Amino acid sequence: MLWQARIRRWKPPSGFVDEQVRGPYRLWEHTHSFYEEGDETIVEDVVRYGLPFWPLGEIAHPLVRLQLGRIFRFRQSAMRGSLLHR
């Protein structure tokens, strides 16, 4: 699947926003936020998305939510593993 995104807002070190330019979603806006809490860095993701072929695409919404949940759980695990082994 071809997916092209661009960084729309860049605010180091607190975060950035990327948006889909080309890909499977009608709308995709992903806000990445980073902030300190004690001696830890909290990574927060907020995703706004719209499915294609509205309103028929909404039928797939539960499946898409499950898939996105798996993707972000994997990312969280990979980030923890990478950062803890430094």
Side-chain angles (χ1 to χ4, degrees):
M1 172 185 326
L2 291 176
W3 187 320
Q4 184 179 15
R6 74 171 154 229
I7 305 297
R8 186 170 50 116
R9 196 172 326 128
W10 180 252
K11 295 181 123 186
S14 61
F16 63 97
V17 177
D18 62 72
E19 66 182 0
Q20 173 187 282
V21 175
R22 186 176 344 149
Y25 292 92
R26 183 172 47 86
L27 163 75
W28 179 272
E29 180 184 87
H30 182 182
T31 302
H32 308 253
S33 300
F34 311 99
Y35 57 93
E36 291 183 38
E37 192 168 281
D39 62 346
E40 297 180 341
T41 299
I42 305 299
V43 178
E44 181 179 76
D45 293 287
V46 175
V47 177
R48 287 186 30 202
Y49 66 92
L51 299 177
F53 311 117
W54 190 88
L56 294 175
E58 292 303 306
I59 294 169
H61 191 254
L63 180 61
V64 171
R65 263 185 92 78
L66 279 172
Q67 186 177 32
L68 291 175
R70 282 196 299 263
I71 289 167
F72 281 98
R73 280 191 302 277
F74 172 80
R75 181 171 162 243
Q76 180 182 36
S77 175
M79 285 179 62
R80 279 188 174 149
S82 176
L83 295 173
L84 290 175
H85 291 94
R86 288 186 172 224

